[in-house]
Every structure is written in structure tokens, then in C-alpha cells.
Amino acid sequence: MTDRLNSRMRASVFHGDRRITIETQDMPPVGEGEVLVRVLRTALCGSDFKLWHKGAEFTAGHEIFGVVEQPGHHRHGQRCAIYIPVHCGDCDACRAGDTQMCLQVSSLIGWNRPGGYAEYVPVP
Ligand SMILES: [Zn+2]
Ligand SMILES: [Zn+2]
């Protein structure tokens, strides 16, 4: 699998008007504190219906299950389900358990950053 890292991957592109194509793209960038997950399954969500009609700036898909594929990372090879809201874990909202209302980070995997209708997705 290592040879697939730093290369290209297949990902769905939601063009709008109910048109989706599978295209080859560069691997998404993996930010600091993030790992690359090889997607095994991404469930279709009702909210993706909107993107099917309107199109999506980023790869859609936010009900994701996969395997961490980040050689050298302590979670490498571990299966995981992805939690959609990216959050800081440190603000008042996060400490109260309301990570979906994080005061520092407003980002949703599959909405305003790459999601799971692709072979790989970067996640915190
Ligand atoms: Zn959903
Ligand atoms: Zn927070």
C-alpha cells in the first residue's frame, strides 16, 4: 500500500444536476495532526442528496469507515469510523462535550473539506 501513498487516487466528483463522475485526482493533503485513512465504505446519507443536485466543491461523503494508512503513526493499520465535525477538543463547547459546536474550528468532513467518496481521506 505504501506505493499508493504520494500518488493519485480515484474520487467521486459531484458536478450538480444529478451528475457524478469518478475521476483520478492527487492524493489530498494531510495536515499536521492528521492521518490518511484508506476508505473501506462510505454510506450514502440523505444530506448528500443536496450535493447531488447542487454539486460539491469538495469530495462528498461523511459516513466513513476505513483503515488508518499512515506508516509510522501509532494508529497505522487500525480500523476506524470517522467523526464528521473537526473540533479543537479544548474550548468551552468541546470540554462540555458539544464538539459539534466547537468555538475554534468550524469544519465538516465531506462538506468543507475532502470526504469519503474517494479511496483516501485525511482526518484529524
Ligand atoms: Zn449524514
Ligand atoms: Zn473546540
Side-chain angles (χ1 to χ4, degrees):
M1 280 300 153
T2 306
D3 62 321
R4 298 189 67 177
L5 298 175
N6 304 315
S7 62
R8 291 168 65 79
M9 66 172 189
R10 288 175 299 156
S12 65
V13 177
F14 283 46
H15 299 276
D17 292 326
R18 308 188 316 186
R19 198 169 81 83
I20 299 170
T21 56
I22 306 298
E23 300 183 7
T24 300
Q25 301 180 340
D26 289 335
M27 296 291 275
V30 181
E32 195 179 326
E34 298 184 348
V35 294
L36 202 57
V37 167
R38 180 165 49 90
V39 176
L40 296 177
R41 299 285 186 277
T42 297
L44 192 61
C45 179
S47 55
D48 292 327
F49 204 65
K50 198 183 298 177
L51 303 177
W52 186 48
H53 286 282
K54 280 179 25 188
E57 184 182 349
F58 295 92
T59 303
H62 59 271
E63 315 278 355
I64 310 163
F65 166 76
V67 175
V68 175
E69 194 155 303
Q70 197 70 47
H73 193 276
H74 68 284
R75 299 233 188 261
H76 178 68
Q78 193 169 72
R79 293 187 301 166
C80 57
I82 308 300
Y83 182 60
I84 308 164
V86 179
H87 56 281
C88 76
D90 205 37
C91 70
D92 289 345
C94 283
R95 281 200 299 266
D98 298 322
T99 54
Q100 80 284 6
M101 296 179 359
C102 178
L103 303 170
Q104 302 297 321
V105 185
S106 177
S107 189
L108 295 171
I109 293 170
W111 288 97
N112 52 15
R113 53 176 285 159
Y117 294 140
E119 290 182 286
Y120 293 91
V121 61
V123 299

